[in-house]
Amino acid sequence: MKTKMLFLFIAVFSFGVFAQEKVDCIEKEKQFNQMLFERTFDKANQEWSSIKKSCGTSSEHFCRLGVELLQYNIDVAAAADKEKTVRTLLEWYDQYDKSFPENNNGNLVHKAMALSDNKVGSESEIYSYLDAAFQLKKESFTDALALSIYFDLYYKKYTASKSTITINQLLEKYFAVNALLEASATKVPEKKQNCLTAMAGMKSLMLDLLVCDNLVPYTQDNFEQNKSNVDWLSSVASIMSERCYAKPVVETVCLQLHLLQPTSKSAAYLGKYYTNVLNQPKAVEYYQLSASLATTVQEKSGLLYTLASVLVSTDKAKSREVILSAIAIDPKNSKYLIFLANLYANATECAANDKEKKAIYKLAINTLQKALLLDSKYKSAIDNLLKNCTKNMGDTAELKNKSVKIGCWINETVQF
């Protein structure tokens, strides 16, 4: 009986001590958080040595508070002490990952960027952390600048004199990183501009290599194993539709992308492809679909403008109908009015006589003047078109205060 009581006492005592320690850590975390909030960093540094031993890894939040303090120490460190403070932060990230191995804080990327931002360590060390993040923690690798640095360092390895990296491996890395940036831009709107900037920088770096002689065989070789990978298909379709827009493999990739994830963008890729291979019915079909899938006014009106451009050579009536739809949903875009004015100015087949011809040019002039009122972005182009239309219209004195009906696909009455 005494033995049982002794065990019970030890168990209760141990639980009490354990609970007290947990309470202490929670309280210490609150106190430490308050120090950082009040920016009393000297006091926080004095407490840090003892706190990190007893409670520093008691929660992920405490780990992040430690990161905040150590980052401050880096920011204020003298040049001679910079590397030491950076290395201290890297050690803390190691402890963070050891204590919480399933965390999604992206600590490998943070370690690389701490080195890069503070010009500490070698490119090889920075690359090793970024590559580990790419291979092991890709889902949390969303920092646009870090991804840009990672690809830049990989590209340097490719261009090194004794490199064993092939062009296909380089393209594979390019499309994989590009896919991460595209995904990040879509999921986190506030990161979109940074992602677009990083993508533009990568494309500029690769410009001489993103040619059909490289892209076509790469895509053909890798399509089968990636035909269920939407990110890969999207990234490849984006580049291929720009650089190798009439190659049959572009159709293959874009159709598969559209099958798996139909969007305005995937339909637009197909519209562009069929335009370039002179299959206008298909081009019109996919541009119409693309516009119907658009999610913003600017995207929808822009796609309608493209569709109107595709139709202009074969069906001016339909082209006019489409551009009027673009104007209706985005009435402040002067580019659409300029297109409509050009459509009118090139519609002399609708003039049965000289009066109707003058009326057509007058209609074009009226449309251009509306465009001029919207903004001055295209003023030079509008002025030139106005000059040409006025010259072609000629003298209209006999039509003053009269109206002229234009038939054909225009079907408008013009007042002089």
Side-chain angles (χ1 to χ4, degrees):
M1 184 65 180
K2 288 182 179 180
T3 302
K4 288 182 180 179
M5 290 296 292
L6 179 61
F7 279 128
L8 180 62
F9 173 77
I10 292 172
V12 171
F13 179 78
S14 298
F15 176 79
V17 171
F18 177 74
Q20 184 63 42
E21 286 180 352
K22 292 293 286 183
V23 170
D24 284 347
C25 284
I26 291 171
E27 186 59 33
K28 285 180 180 179
E29 184 176 322
K30 289 180 181 177
Q31 293 171 358
F32 195 67
N33 187 64
Q34 188 64 25
M35 292 178 207
L36 297 181
F37 178 76
E38 294 174 351
R39 300 186 65 79
T40 54
F41 293 109
D42 287 344
K43 184 178 180 181
N45 271 307
Q46 290 171 7
E47 297 288 332
W48 177 240
S49 293
S50 60
I51 286 177
K52 72 176 181 180
K53 290 178 182 177
S54 57
C55 297
T57 56
S58 60
S59 72
E60 269 205 72
H61 182 245
F62 221 146
C63 286
R64 289 193 288 271
L65 291 176
V67 169
E68 185 178 342
L69 174 65
L70 297 175
Q71 182 58 57
Y72 167 80
N73 291 343
I74 292 171
D75 294 340
V76 299
D81 298 323
K82 188 69 74 175
E83 178 161 3
K84 181 181 178 181
T85 55
V86 170
R87 297 291 175 188
T88 300
L89 175 60
L90 265 57
E91 289 172 4
W92 183 245
Y93 278 130
D94 288 338
Q95 186 60 52
Y96 186 160
D97 284 338
K98 182 179 179 181
S99 301
F100 301 96
E102 300 302 317
N103 79 79
N104 290 310
N105 198 53
N107 291 333
L108 288 165
V109 173
H110 290 318
K111 288 167 74 173
M113 296 308 291
L115 293 169
S116 178
D117 290 345
N118 295 285
K119 297 178 173 55
V120 171
S122 64
E123 288 187 346
S124 177
E125 184 181 11
I126 294 169
Y127 176 81
S128 68
Y129 287 131
L130 293 175
D131 191 52
F134 186 80
Q135 303 298 337
L136 304 173
K137 293 275 189 176
K138 191 178 292 186
E139 71 283 351
S140 60
F141 199 165
T142 59
D143 185 307
L145 179 57
L147 284 165
S148 179
I149 291 171
Y150 176 54
F151 183 75
D152 183 66
L153 292 173
Y154 190 83
Y155 181 81
K156 284 184 178 180
K157 287 178 174 289
Y158 169 78
T159 56
S161 59
K162 295 182 180 180
S163 176
T164 58
I165 298 172
T166 66
I167 182 62
N168 267 16
Q169 288 173 322
L170 179 65
L171 288 171
E172 181 65 26
K173 187 69 69 177
Y174 173 79
F175 285 122
V177 173
N178 205 62
L180 285 176
L181 288 165
E182 282 187 345
S184 183
T186 302
K187 293 174 184 175
V188 190
E190 57 268 27
K191 291 185 176 182
K192 183 175 181 179
Q193 191 52 56
N194 288 341
C195 290
L196 292 177
T197 300
M199 290 162 67
M202 286 170 52
K203 186 186 289 186
S204 177
L205 192 66
M206 289 283 288
L207 207 55
D208 293 338
L209 296 171
L210 293 176
V211 294
C212 293
D213 286 347
N214 293 330
L215 290 168
V216 170
Y218 165 80
T219 305
Q220 291 170 333
D221 291 346
N222 290 276
F223 173 75
E224 196 61 32
Q225 69 191 60
N226 285 289
K227 65 182 182 181
S228 298
N229 184 343
V230 171
D231 289 340
W232 183 88
L233 291 167
S234 178
S235 187
V236 171
S238 175
I239 295 299
M240 291 291 282
S241 66
E242 177 187 332
R243 309 289 289 183
C244 307
Y245 41 79
K247 298 293 184 181
V249 72
V250 175
E251 181 185 25
T252 303
V253 169
C254 294
L255 282 172
Q256 183 66 11
L257 172 63
H258 191 69
L259 175 67
L260 296 180
Q261 192 177 83
T263 63
S264 62
K265 189 177 287 187
S266 66
Y269 289 149
L270 287 163
K272 182 177 180 179
Y273 171 76
Y274 289 121
T275 299
N276 286 316
V277 297
L278 305 180
N279 187 339
Q280 194 192 56
K282 280 284 190 182
V284 170
E285 175 190 342
Y286 278 104
Y287 274 127
Q288 286 176 328
L289 178 59
S290 181
S292 72
L293 292 171
T295 57
T296 68
V297 166
Q298 289 74 20
E299 183 185 19
K300 187 179 185 70
S301 63
L303 287 163
L304 290 171
Y305 172 78
T306 302
L307 175 58
S309 302
V310 171
L311 289 163
V312 72
S313 62
T314 57
D315 192 342
K316 288 183 178 178
K318 187 64 177 177
S319 180
R320 176 178 181 266
E321 179 187 325
V322 171
I323 200 64
L324 286 174
S325 295
I327 292 168
I329 64 174
D330 191 5
K332 293 185 178 181
N333 194 321
S334 59
K335 182 172 70 172
Y336 305 154
L337 286 168
I338 295 170
F339 179 93
L340 181 60
N342 264 312
L343 198 60
Y344 290 145
N346 288 281
T348 51
E349 75 276 5
C350 287
N353 52 54
D354 192 54
K355 287 182 181 179
E356 289 184 9
K357 182 179 179 181
K358 291 178 185 292
I360 287 172
Y361 283 116
K362 175 64 173 172
L363 182 59
I365 289 169
N366 291 346
T367 306
L368 287 168
Q369 287 172 337
K370 289 179 184 178
L372 201 56
L373 291 174
L374 291 177
D375 61 55
S376 58
K377 184 178 180 180
Y378 302 105
K379 186 178 185 307
S380 178
I382 293 172
D383 286 343
N384 286 331
L385 288 169
L386 281 169
K387 183 179 178 181
N388 290 334
C389 287
T390 302
K391 179 182 177 182
N392 290 329
M393 182 173 63
D395 184 41
T396 60
E398 80 278 10
L399 295 173
K400 187 175 181 181
N401 297 322
K402 294 181 180 180
S403 61
V404 177
K405 172 73 174 178
I406 308 167
C408 196
W409 55 265
I410 296 177
N411 195 30
E412 293 273 359
T413 298
V414 179
Q415 182 69 40
F416 283 86

